[in-house]
Amino acid sequence: MISEVFAYESLVHAVSGAVGSVTAMTVFFPLDTARLRLQVDENRKARSTPAILAEIVKEEGLLAPYRGWFPVICSLCCSNFVYFYCFNSLKASWLKGRQSVPSTDLIIGIASGIVNVLVTTPLWVVNTRLKLQGSKFRNADIRPTNYSGILDAFAQISHDEGLGALWNGTLPSLLLVLNPAIQFMIYEGLKRQLRRGVPRELSSVEVFIIGAVAKAVATTVTYPLQTIQSILRFGQFTESTQESKLMTSLRTIRCLLVNRMRKYGVLGLFKGLEAKLIQTVLTAALMFLLYEKIASCTFYVMGLKKSHNKKL
């Protein structure tokens, strides 16, 4: 197993996944800004994504949709490097050349997600704060923050809220490992179906489509928890949820879900889903496309093209 964990192939997959995700997120970053604003700012009305972005640009300036780009990209790069590295090294050590099945992909995806969450949650807490800093909220109860950068945000959060605050939202994040796990299970399954036992490289269109389908399903299924995750990472609660600070993490999640449903109905749990689906589906599709092409080219240069195709 040690040889698979430290294999060069795992490093290639990790770097390819990180580069692909960073490029894709940069292209569709404004859509993520619209999604996050709708999730956290409860008083902002959910409208079409273009309308939300136009409103943000009008009130906060042309570059506002790209606010917090750098910390998000840093977090995403680290997160996807860890996830792709764990997923491919665990898969190689588990299968040892055998054909994978959906249940195996799901289990390996969950294990990789748990490692990823525990390692990278502080980065996502900081990037959520920085991305929302300076925003004009409809909710007057939200307290403004003043971080000068990533390191200053780490220092202030640790000093003012305690070191544990850097892991705010860890429990919903752990539950949300189902998102990439489901995504990779569907993606790998569709790849096997398209190949039907014939080792070949999929076309760019095929990779883009199956990446989009896989992410759309995973996002829709897990979206309510993603909303709670964003609220917890932001670190601010309205009066209706102050009591949850004294509860366990599970009761906190339950309290936030129930309060949101009481105020806005079941659809309140899916506020911002349109923006999230557009952003995450397009980002994931482009990310998988770039990931496959970068990995394929790298393995081709290394002379490992055939073995790479067989493993996939």
Side-chain angles (χ1 to χ4, degrees), residues 101-278:
V101 295
S103 58
T104 301
D105 292 331
L106 183 63
I107 293 171
I108 293 174
I110 290 173
S112 303
I114 290 172
V115 174
N116 181 35
V117 166
L118 296 177
V119 172
T120 64
T121 289
L123 287 171
W124 288 110
V125 169
V126 166
N127 98 59
T128 299
R129 305 283 186 96
L130 289 172
K131 191 170 181 179
L132 291 169
Q133 182 169 273
S135 302
K136 293 185 178 180
F137 295 107
R138 299 292 187 272
N139 188 349
D141 294 330
I142 292 178
R143 302 183 304 276
T145 56
N146 185 28
Y147 307 125
S148 61
I150 296 175
L151 295 179
D152 183 54
F154 271 115
Q156 283 197 46
I157 294 170
S158 301
H159 180 268
D160 297 339
E161 303 172 43
L163 197 61
L166 291 171
W167 275 268
N168 278 350
T170 296
L171 186 58
S173 296
L174 286 172
L175 296 175
L176 278 169
V177 300
L178 285 172
N179 184 304
I182 292 171
Q183 175 187 346
F184 269 76
M185 179 184 70
I186 296 173
Y187 179 77
E188 295 289 333
L190 290 174
K191 278 207 303 185
R192 285 191 292 271
Q193 286 297 315
L194 288 173
R195 284 170 173 163
R196 291 187 177 90
V198 180
R200 68 177 180 90
E201 283 195 30
L202 300 181
S203 69
S204 299
V205 174
E206 288 174 323
V207 173
F208 191 90
I209 291 174
I210 64 175
V213 170
K215 191 60 177 181
V217 174
T219 298
T220 303
V221 170
T222 60
Y223 190 76
L225 277 174
Q226 292 183 49
T227 298
I228 300 308
Q229 179 193 55
S230 296
I231 294 171
L232 290 172
R233 282 176 173 173
F234 192 34
Q236 303 197 38
F237 302 93
T238 59
E239 291 182 4
S240 61
T241 57
Q242 279 184 340
E243 185 183 2
S244 66
K245 295 179 180 180
L246 304 175
M247 299 178 181
T248 63
S249 295
L250 277 173
R251 292 184 66 191
T252 300
I253 295 171
R254 175 181 160 278
C255 183
L256 288 169
L257 286 170
V258 170
N259 283 336
R260 199 170 184 90
M261 286 182 65
R262 284 175 178 170
K263 290 177 71 174
Y264 307 106
V266 176
L267 292 180
L269 296 176
F270 292 90
K271 186 180 179 184
L273 178 60
E274 178 206 357
K276 179 64 175 178
L277 275 177
I278 295 172

Side-chain angles (χ1 to χ4, degrees), residues 7-84:
Y8 188 69
E9 287 87 342
S10 297
L11 181 62
V12 172
H13 283 294
V15 172
S16 301
V19 172
S21 62
V22 164
T23 305
M25 175 57 85
T26 299
V27 172
F28 299 112
F29 192 82
L31 299 176
D32 191 58
T33 297
R35 181 272 309 174
L36 185 60
R37 201 69 67 86
L38 285 169
Q39 285 182 325
V40 172
D41 192 356
E42 294 184 352
N43 293 338
R44 184 181 290 273
K45 294 181 180 179
R47 295 183 292 169
S48 67
T49 302
I52 293 295
L53 287 174
E55 193 175 71
I56 292 172
V57 169
K58 181 180 179 181
E59 295 178 353
E60 303 171 32
L62 190 61
L63 296 179
Y66 275 92
R67 181 184 292 117
W69 171 84
F70 183 71
V72 169
I73 290 302
C74 290
S75 302
L76 190 67
C77 184
C78 294
S79 180
N80 277 279
F81 182 91
V82 171
Y83 191 90
F84 275 87

Side-chain angles (χ1 to χ4, degrees), residues 201 296 299-310:
E201 283 195 30
S296 179
F299 284 120
Y300 182 83
V301 172
M302 293 167 58
L304 298 173
K305 184 177 181 181
K306 291 183 178 180
S307 62
H308 169 61
N309 284 335
K310 288 178 181 178

